[in-house]
Amino acid sequence: MSIRVENLTKYYGEQLALDNISFEIKKGEIVGFLGPNGAGKTTTLKLITTFLTPTKGKIYVDGVDAEQDSLGVRKKIGYLPELNPLYGDMNVIDYLEYSAYLQSVPKDKISDSIKRMVKVCGLEEVRHKDIGELSKGYKQRVGLAQAMIHNPDVLLLDEPTSGLDPNQILEIRKLIKDLGKEKTLMLSTHILQEVEATCDRIIIINKGRIVADGSTDDLQKKFRGQLGIHLIVKKDPRFGKEKIISLLESVKNVEKLKLIRDEDSAWVFDITANKGIDVREEIFRTIVANNLILLELHQEETSLEDIFRQLTLKSGKN
Amino acid sequence: MNWSNVLTIFKREFKYNIYSSVAYIINIVFLIITAWSFTNLLFLFNIVSIRSIFETSIPQLIYPPIPLLLTIFIPAITMRTFSEEMRSGSIELLLTKPVTDTEIIIGKFLSALAVTMLAIAPTIFYVIGLFFLGTPDLGIIIATYIGVLLLSGLYVGIGLLISSLTEHQVISFIVTFLILFFLFLFNLEWLLSKMPSALVNIFEYIGPNYHFSNMARGVIDTKNLIYLLSGITITLMLTRVSLERRKW
């Protein structure tokens, strides 16, 4: 187990930031840590990097207890903080060298590891420029490079693409995906496409609590069925509006039926089924059995966005 | 303590301070004033002594000596050590590297002290000048420089502590300057002369200049050493506590 977090609770003064969260991340997983702003993502990362200490709970990185051996944990981790705070007055190579020394990379390997990072992160063109002069995309790459200079097993990235333009975002995502092949990677974000594009697994956090944890597919399966089926049936003189509604409502497992448009030649419905059940077949049979003509029937894919909204807004009302 | 980490921090800070234009400007002002003070004393009063450059007493107040200059120079060097890192957030990157808080503080302390010593180094020319003009007491000169080193150490310690308490450089500068200036006032004779006699000794002892000027007279007393060294230790330990505030 690469990262293990047990019953983590963090108070900032009186304010509860994390409420008893636990999770485990296996070696080689890319985990997206998702949540609205202020949910506790950054706090969790700051606790794992030992920048902050938890009010309660335990953190292990590769089996090393963060409380007992905080330096040992820091050696195993590469960290890119949220605002990517680098020393603007240093040039790229000097900064990477400085990071390498602080990460106690053996002296004879420092120049090799700098070369490797410059290559991996695409920093050749700017290697002798001051960091302060770089564009945001390049700065982000320098941030990634310093995080990986000691070839850590675990990478923690706090909103790695925030503030980048769409092209830069794609580049950084690709970089992350490549890196994830050999490393345990945890990235926090509030951008859903990012998670869909890069992560194997998602942990959704809201108000300091984990509200969902699983692979993208798992979550979609779990939350499917609560969302709609789109149905268009051709109008038929034998059926009035009320009659077709009551007919469709009588189909097994249909929870809710709504006529959204009454067109000249067709009725357009939105159907919500009971959770987790696919009612498309039953609807089809009913329509055919009544000699009606089916124009369109499709289940709307539950997007991550829907799941996210459901989870974070629901508990928001509590 | 891992000294190679201390060295890494030291190098980065030292380079940064050396390149910073603030250090240059202050250093030039520093040299002009000490040179002016030195030659004035030399030609107007015919006093030839290294003490006159370093030590303060009432008649010399118009020729600002080194302890007074340090009350401006050192805050300018230490103001950004932690404040700037806290403002930009780079402190988070630093503290999540496998480096202890103590190593960071020692590295930054030594760097600020080294820059200060570098600023004072040109006064060596005055010393050489003295040797041409007469036969000054080498013991006094060495004791004076040890005194300057320890006094600067204490000032840097205070500067680091204040810098770790605020993320605004300007506040860090002003507060450090006020504290150092306040400590400087403790040893002004006209102030002491207005005190009730029972308090004079206590006030004198609290002010670091009293301990420094003893050393500048060539007396290295354990009392003075203990005062300055424990002052340095205490300020650095408090800086560590201040850095740990983030975890509370």
Side-chain angles (χ1 to χ4, degrees):
Chain A
M1 218 43 82
S2 221
I3 300 175
R4 197 162 94 232
V5 166
E6 289 172 1
N7 306 92
L8 208 57
T9 301
K10 174 72 184 173
Y11 278 93
Y12 289 117
E14 296 275 294
Q15 201 194 342
L16 180 65
L18 280 181
D19 187 4
N20 202 27
I21 70 166
S22 303
F23 59 85
E24 286 182 350
I25 296 175
K26 287 198 274 299
K27 219 174 163 67
E29 264 185 312
I30 306 184
V31 176
F33 205 45
L34 201 64
N37 290 324
K41 297 173 301 226
T42 299
T43 303
T44 309
L45 294 182
K46 282 184 176 173
L47 288 171
I48 298 174
T49 57
T50 76
F51 182 68
L52 299 176
T53 41
T55 314
K56 240 170 48 198
K58 283 277 183 191
I59 298 162
Y60 300 91
V61 175
D62 251 351
V64 179
D65 186 335
E67 198 182 6
Q68 306 275 326
D69 182 7
S70 104
L71 290 187
V73 165
R74 290 185 228 170
K75 273 184 191 150
K76 291 178 182 298
I77 288 178
Y79 178 42
L80 176 68
E82 190 173 3
L83 296 170
N84 188 23
L86 306 167
Y87 293 129
D89 58 310
M90 280 177 114
N91 76 38
V92 173
I93 296 287
D94 284 354
Y95 184 69
L96 291 181
E97 189 182 310
Y98 169 76
S99 305
Y101 270 108
L102 286 186
Q103 286 288 7
S104 31
V105 175
K107 262 203 177 95
D108 53 323
K109 289 189 181 143
I110 286 181
S111 101
D112 280 348
S113 57
I114 292 172
K115 267 183 211 149
R116 199 182 39 133
M117 277 305 115
V118 166
K119 204 176 148 208
V120 171
C121 298
L123 293 167
E124 283 94 350
E125 282 170 43
V126 297
R127 50 192 298 165
H128 294 298
K129 276 196 183 166
D130 278 357
I131 294 172
E133 296 169 10
L134 300 182
S135 69
K136 225 166 168 183
Y138 270 120
K139 274 187 194 154
Q140 209 69 10
R141 292 182 195 197
V142 176
L144 278 170
Q146 67 78 26
M148 297 184 301
I149 193 86
H150 56 305
N151 202 10
D153 296 328
V154 178
L155 260 181
L156 303 176
L157 312 176
D158 199 352
E159 309 210 348
T161 59
S162 72
L164 300 184
D165 72 37
N167 293 333
Q168 294 167 329
I169 289 178
L170 286 181
E171 278 171 33
I172 295 287
R173 273 187 201 157
K174 187 172 170 294
L175 195 56
I176 290 171
K177 204 140 193 198
D178 289 344
L179 293 170
K181 283 174 193 155
E182 36 186 318
K183 296 192 189 308
T184 306
L185 214 147
M186 186 166 178
L187 69 101
S188 97
T189 180
H190 56 260
I191 305 162
L192 295 143
Q193 294 91 323
E194 191 142 300
V195 176
E196 276 178 318
T198 48
C199 299
D200 311 325
R201 183 179 148 201
I202 304 166
I203 296 175
I204 301 180
I205 181 172
N206 189 37
K207 305 209 160 180
R209 290 182 187 192
I210 291 178
V211 287
D213 181 353
S215 69
T216 322
D217 289 346
D218 281 348
L219 291 185
Q220 275 170 346
K221 253 179 227 154
K222 196 168 160 195
F223 293 95
R224 182 188 293 159
Q226 294 188 314
L227 281 149
I229 290 164
H230 195 69
L231 172 72
I232 303 177
V233 182
K234 192 175 175 186
K235 277 192 175 168
D236 191 303
R238 295 173 294 133
F239 284 86
K241 200 162 79 179
E242 283 75 26
K243 202 172 171 193
I244 182 119
I245 288 175
S246 66
L247 175 74
L248 289 168
E249 271 175 348
S250 67
V251 174
K252 218 167 115 192
N253 282 320
V254 168
E255 196 185 304
K256 227 167 76 191
L257 179 90
K258 208 170 130 200
L259 178 67
I260 52 170
R261 268 202 319 274
D262 194 348
E263 290 173 358
D264 290 344
S265 61
W267 291 295
V268 182
F269 296 99
D270 258 355
I271 297 171
T272 311
N274 284 331
K275 197 174 168 182
I277 296 165
D278 191 350
V279 291
R280 283 174 297 182
E281 194 178 330
E282 280 300 316
I283 288 170
F284 175 75
R285 286 183 194 285
T286 309
I287 286 166
V288 173
N290 287 284
N291 269 327
L292 286 160
I293 291 167
L294 179 66
L295 294 174
E296 211 178 306
L297 172 66
H298 71 93
Q299 183 157 24
E300 275 163 14
E301 193 66 31
T302 313
S303 71
L304 203 53
E305 218 143 322
D306 300 320
I307 298 171
F308 181 78
R309 283 175 54 83
Q310 254 181 60
L311 287 169
T312 52
L313 289 178
K314 194 170 62 190
S315 37
K317 279 180 204 155
N318 291 340
Chain B
M1 180 128 63
N2 183 344
W3 284 98
S4 88
N5 284 340
V6 174
L7 185 67
T8 307
I9 305 272
F10 172 85
K11 278 202 257 177
R12 133 94 200 152
E13 292 287 316
F14 189 72
K15 213 168 157 186
Y16 180 68
N17 276 323
I18 288 298
Y19 286 153
S20 116
S21 46
V22 182
Y24 279 115
I25 293 165
I26 292 177
N27 214 340
I28 289 164
V29 174
F30 198 98
L31 282 175
I32 291 172
I33 294 174
T34 48
W36 180 56
S37 153
F38 180 73
T39 44
N40 260 341
L41 288 164
L42 202 61
F43 294 115
L44 294 179
F45 300 98
N46 214 9
I47 307 167
V48 180
S49 110
I50 188 74
R51 222 178 103 196
S52 56
I53 308 166
F54 285 107
E55 204 192 332
T56 330
S57 59
I58 286 296
Q60 289 161 0
L61 194 58
I62 38 166
Y63 314 111
I66 281 179
L68 188 56
L69 285 175
L70 289 180
T71 62
I72 302 169
F73 183 77
I74 288 179
I77 294 296
T78 59
M79 65 179 180
R80 37 193 330 165
T81 43
F82 287 106
S83 301
E84 176 65 17
E85 299 232 27
M86 277 154 50
R87 191 197 54 76
S88 76
S90 59
I91 192 83
E92 190 178 342
L93 263 183
L94 190 55
L95 291 173
T96 51
K97 296 272 191 284
V99 185
T100 63
D101 293 9
T102 311
E103 287 159 3
I104 294 168
I105 292 167
I106 303 268
K108 285 181 181 267
F109 170 77
L110 291 178
S111 156
L113 191 56
V115 172
T116 311
M117 287 302 111
L118 209 63
I120 287 173
T123 59
I124 290 288
F125 291 114
Y126 307 148
V127 175
I128 295 167
L130 289 179
F131 273 97
F132 274 108
L133 295 164
T135 47
D137 185 338
L138 190 63
I140 291 179
I141 292 171
I142 292 171
T144 305
Y145 275 103
I146 294 175
V148 174
L149 178 70
L150 292 177
L151 185 72
S152 307
L154 177 64
Y155 284 7
V156 168
I158 293 169
L160 288 189
L161 174 62
I162 302 302
S163 178
S164 73
L165 290 170
T166 171
E167 52 182 62
H168 303 286
Q169 288 184 42
V170 177
I171 294 178
S172 167
F173 176 83
I174 292 171
V175 173
T176 309
F177 170 72
L178 288 178
I179 290 173
L180 297 185
F181 191 71
F182 188 67
L183 287 173
F184 173 80
L185 288 181
F186 270 88
N187 296 100
L188 284 184
E189 276 166 32
W190 66 265
L191 198 76
L192 289 173
S193 67
K194 291 185 175 57
M195 295 265 170
S197 55
L199 289 176
V200 168
N201 282 339
I202 301 172
F203 264 71
E204 222 177 27
Y205 192 82
I206 294 174
N209 263 18
Y210 162 73
H211 303 274
F212 166 68
S213 46
N214 269 351
M215 297 180 91
R217 276 188 211 106
V219 188
I220 299 192
D221 189 343
T222 41
K223 190 176 71 176
N224 308 136
L225 284 181
I226 287 171
Y227 171 90
L228 291 167
L229 288 173
S230 56
I232 294 171
T233 316
I234 289 168
T235 48
L236 294 187
M237 278 164 64
L238 287 175
T239 308
R240 221 187 94 165
V241 174
S242 154
L243 277 188
E244 270 165 15
R245 274 181 313 154
R246 70 180 191 272
K247 295 184 172 175
W248 297 349

